[in-house]
Amino acid sequence: MTRKIWVFDTTLRDGEQVPGAKLNLYEKLEVANQLKKLGVDIIEAGFPSSSAGDFNAVKEIARKVGKVDDVIITGLARAVKADIDAVYHSVKYAEHPLIHIVLGTSDIHVEKKFGKSKSEIMNIGVDAVKYAKTLLPDVQYSTEDASRSDFEYLWSTIEAVVKAGATIINIPDTVGYAEPEEFGELIFKINDRLKNVNDRVLLSVHCHNDLGMATANTLAAIKNGADKVECTINGIGERAGNAALEEVVMAVNTRRTLYQAFTNINTKEITNTSRLVSSLMGLDVQVNKAITGENAFAHSSGIHQDGLLKSRDAYEIMNPVEVGLDDMELVLTARSGRHAVKNALGKMGLRQLTDPQFEEIFEAFLKLADAKKEIYQHDLYVIAENYFAKHHPYDQDRTQHSRHFYELIDLQVISNFHFPSASVKIKQNEQIFQSSAVGSGPIEALYAAITEIADFDIKLIEYKITSVSRGKDALGKVSIQAEHKGETYSAKATDTDIMKASALAYIHAINLIVVDRLLQVK
Ligand code: KIV
Ligand code: ZN
């Protein structure tokens, strides 16, 4: 029988504890709305007693996001009256409010952090739950540092707070010390006893990633009876972060028969949510991060590309569409084999090439790929067109199209406090165009100048500049939309000059729109 696993998202509380990731009220509301779209069951919107700003944000999320639908809104409280009051007075506006109380159970917390006896701490926890129950029916109790606690004391605490009225028991691996097999056993033992005391109480886990095992520990807990998991988007959170929601959810989805479980997450919203959280919090997602990393569904080895084109399941366990991406990406590099290049040419309508024709084009591809890091569709287009221009110069259908691509000839960017400005020289259709623009910053000015020359309405979706090769080269990354279509075009470029890398990435992305137009016309 498959069980529902409740998903509790703590991006706005544990995730927001990442230094520098603080969001303002409007940004928090935007994230909370997106989490609702994603289908999480519970949103932990903040720590209301920590500041007036946090209190207000939790209250606004409860009022605006928690007012309709099933989503539960909670906030964190220490086991003290003032904290519990702050949570109550902020979450009470939600249709389904929940008070979340945390108090340590390990000897380290009880003795060293609080300097109290175990029974004193247990009584504080029980009193906190009893008080919270006078305010709301739903109360979650977290036994902080549970994975390093003495088991019998941990269990006595759980039993006591359940008797006091706790409706959810959360077992945190606060410092990421647990190991999957051991954590699974702990959850099994607790679940066994808990369901005998009260089988309506949900058993939850909250794992940290200090040893890189947050997802593995969370999944081990699911296998051993946990009803609910606490996660964050992109795995952000205190220190090394929390269990990543997208990893736990996709593991449960992909290995459904193994876990005998499902979640209510709308997985098609995973990529949107990840990008929103990353851009608002200013936290880049590691490129090879499972599910949400830029390369998670990109294949670059020729052997893999060949296998995928023969049968996708050769190297693909999840369809990228399931997480909200368009499709898998076959990156064309010097390592790509014939099969991938043939496939890319086929997408451009060049399906009837003879073997000698293809071999000559492939050779030109390899030469360019050795010189450039990545080959774009417009590069391949130029290679194919050069081939036809050489062998069939009068075949107008196959030549003379690449003149529609834009080529950066020169640029000048001036950065100052008042009027950052940029001028560019761009070649297209054998003509040189010049344009200048001002902007609120040098990149805005640069992109405005380029956009003026390009023949489209362009909306910039994402821009990033990072250093590569120990800081010598800058890597510009751009995603744009041609407004009339809504499709996203992404491209990269490297150069030692950050302005040039930024301009080239933008122009590469524009050229992808040109290729699309050319292919539609054909
Ligand atoms: O890591 C932790 O123990 C927590 C609790 C508040 C659940 O974040
Ligand atoms: Zn935590």
Side-chain angles (χ1 to χ4, degrees):
M1 197 189 67
T2 63
R3 303 177 297 132
K4 175 184 160 168
I5 302 297
W6 291 65
V7 177
F8 175 115
D9 182 276
T10 183
T11 304
L12 291 172
R13 199 276 299 166
D14 215 319
E16 223 214 10
Q17 286 168 213
V18 175
K22 192 113 188 82
L23 300 179
N24 65 35
L25 173 64
Y26 304 101
E27 292 167 333
K28 283 187 189 183
L29 277 166
E30 205 178 337
V31 171
N33 271 313
Q34 180 59 35
L35 290 171
K36 189 162 80 171
K37 240 181 171 178
L38 180 67
V40 305
D41 299 290
I42 305 173
I43 296 175
E44 186 165 50
F47 186 12
S49 69
S50 66
S51 70
D54 227 35
F55 177 89
N56 203 33
V58 177
K59 181 173 151 191
E60 287 307 301
I61 290 170
R63 270 158 45 94
K64 300 201 167 106
V65 184
K67 203 60 208 157
V68 282
D69 298 327
D70 282 345
V71 66
I72 296 169
I73 307 291
T74 192
L76 182 65
R78 289 163 296 186
V80 293
K81 185 175 177 296
D83 277 27
I84 296 169
D85 285 339
V87 172
Y88 170 67
H89 289 293
S90 52
V91 300
K92 68 181 178 191
Y93 300 95
E95 199 70 36
H96 304 285
L98 168 78
I99 295 173
H100 178 192
I101 298 168
V102 62
L103 185 60
T105 46
S106 67
D107 290 358
I108 302 170
H109 279 235
V110 171
E111 288 158 17
K112 297 190 183 151
K113 191 170 133 185
F114 297 114
K116 293 199 185 299
S117 71
K118 284 181 170 166
S119 62
E120 278 174 308
I121 289 292
M122 197 187 301
N123 289 338
I124 292 172
V126 168
D127 288 346
V129 172
K130 283 186 180 159
Y131 177 62
K133 287 291 279 191
T134 65
L135 305 172
L136 286 179
D138 293 323
V139 175
Q140 163 165 319
Y141 191 88
S142 284
T143 52
E144 193 181 13
D145 207 13
S147 54
R148 293 193 300 167
S149 301
D150 167 68
F151 180 76
E152 288 309 331
Y153 176 66
L154 173 65
W155 170 249
S156 310
T157 303
I158 294 170
E159 200 176 24
V161 296
V162 166
K163 285 192 177 142
T167 48
I168 304 174
I169 293 296
N170 185 38
I171 307 294
D173 177 28
T174 302
V175 287
Y177 180 74
E179 179 278 333
E181 207 169 319
E182 167 199 270
F183 195 62
E185 271 169 31
L186 174 68
I187 297 305
F188 185 87
K189 260 163 66 183
I190 295 173
N191 191 43
D192 195 39
R193 293 191 187 184
L194 180 64
K195 295 291 147 68
N196 277 319
V197 173
N198 183 339
D199 64 4
R200 287 186 320 275
V201 173
L202 292 182
L203 179 59
S204 165
V205 293
H206 174 109
C207 298
H208 276 272
N209 206 30
D210 299 68
L211 292 171
M213 293 196 279
T215 299
N217 284 331
T218 304
L219 292 169
I222 291 176
K223 262 190 174 170
N224 283 283
D227 306 294
K228 167 178 158 288
V229 291
E230 299 201 352
C231 304
T232 58
I233 303 299
N234 299 329
I236 61 169
E238 188 77 20
R239 303 180 312 279
N242 291 63
L245 180 147
E246 62 278 7
E247 293 175 12
V248 173
V249 166
M250 289 313 290
V252 169
N253 248 24
T254 309
R255 305 298 310 272
R256 194 173 290 231
T257 43
L258 181 80
Y259 292 108
Q260 292 289 304
F262 67 92
T263 69
N264 274 357
I265 295 295
N266 172 9
T267 60
K268 294 215 161 104
E269 287 297 330
I270 284 179
T271 299
N272 282 341
T273 317
S274 160
R275 288 182 181 163
L276 181 73
V277 167
S278 164
S279 74
L280 291 182
M281 291 193 164
L283 299 173
D284 279 352
V285 179
Q286 180 186 329
V287 288
N288 61 329
K289 157 98 184 50
I291 319 294
T292 52
E294 198 179 305
N295 294 346
F297 295 93
H299 306 269
S300 92
S301 128
I303 298 170
H304 289 204
Q305 291 178 343
D306 176 59
L308 281 158
L309 290 167
K310 285 175 179 150
S311 178
R312 287 182 73 137
D313 57 3
Y315 291 101
E316 192 178 86
I317 57 162
M318 295 166 270
N319 188 326
V321 172
E322 277 178 63
V323 302
L325 288 165
D326 290 339
D327 201 355
M328 66 175 174
E329 193 189 345
L330 298 187
V331 185
L332 293 181
T333 68
R335 295 235 184 125
S336 300
R338 287 178 171 71
H339 202 159
V341 176
K342 224 175 228 172
N343 177 66
L345 288 166
K347 282 193 185 155
M348 293 181 182
L350 294 173
R351 285 184 196 87
Q352 313 292 344
L353 297 172
T354 61
D355 283 352
Q357 280 178 328
F358 174 74
E359 284 307 320
E360 195 173 326
I361 290 174
F362 186 63
E363 209 173 292
F365 162 82
L366 284 181
K367 234 187 225 162
L368 187 64
D370 268 339
K372 284 183 77 173
K373 281 191 172 105
E374 202 177 307
I375 299 291
Y376 284 98
Q377 243 187 330
H378 61 269
D379 297 318
L380 199 57
Y381 203 102
V382 173
I383 292 172
E385 205 175 84
N386 286 346
Y387 170 85
F388 287 110
K390 185 170 144 201
H391 295 283
H392 309 277
Y394 303 111
D395 185 347
Q396 291 286 312
D397 262 6
R398 285 184 155 160
T399 58
Q400 305 295 306
H401 292 297
S402 64
R403 65 180 197 281
H404 295 293
F405 296 143
Y406 295 88
E407 186 189 339
L408 180 68
I409 303 297
D410 203 0
L411 63 81
Q412 186 181 41
V413 181
I414 297 169
S415 181
N416 58 36
F417 287 3
H418 302 295
F419 294 110
S421 61
S423 309
V424 290
K425 246 190 221 175
I426 288 174
K427 186 170 161 192
Q428 191 225 16
N429 247 333
E430 305 306 323
Q431 283 185 63
I432 305 276
F433 297 92
Q434 296 201 49
S435 131
S436 303
V438 291
S440 58
I443 293 294
E444 192 180 281
L446 176 64
Y447 284 6
I450 298 172
T451 309
E452 210 170 285
I453 295 172
D455 199 12
F456 317 100
D457 283 338
I458 294 168
K459 187 170 155 204
L460 182 65
I461 305 295
E462 202 179 345
Y463 162 75
K464 248 183 223 164
I465 189 92
T466 42
S467 66
V468 285
S469 13
R470 290 177 187 242
K472 265 203 271 162
D473 264 355
L475 170 68
K477 286 187 191 171
V478 167
S479 292
I480 57 174
Q481 271 176 1
E483 268 164 336
H484 58 285
K485 274 179 73 186
E487 196 171 327
T488 304
Y489 299 86
S490 304
K492 299 179 215 150
T494 48
D495 199 273
T496 47
D497 178 326
I498 57 169
M499 288 302 158
K500 192 170 164 200
S502 305
L504 286 173
Y506 195 59
I507 289 173
H508 281 166
I510 292 173
N511 281 337
L512 291 176
I513 304 176
V514 179
V515 176
D516 246 14
R517 282 202 172 174
L518 290 172
L519 295 178
Q520 275 159 25
V521 171
K522 279 190 168 182

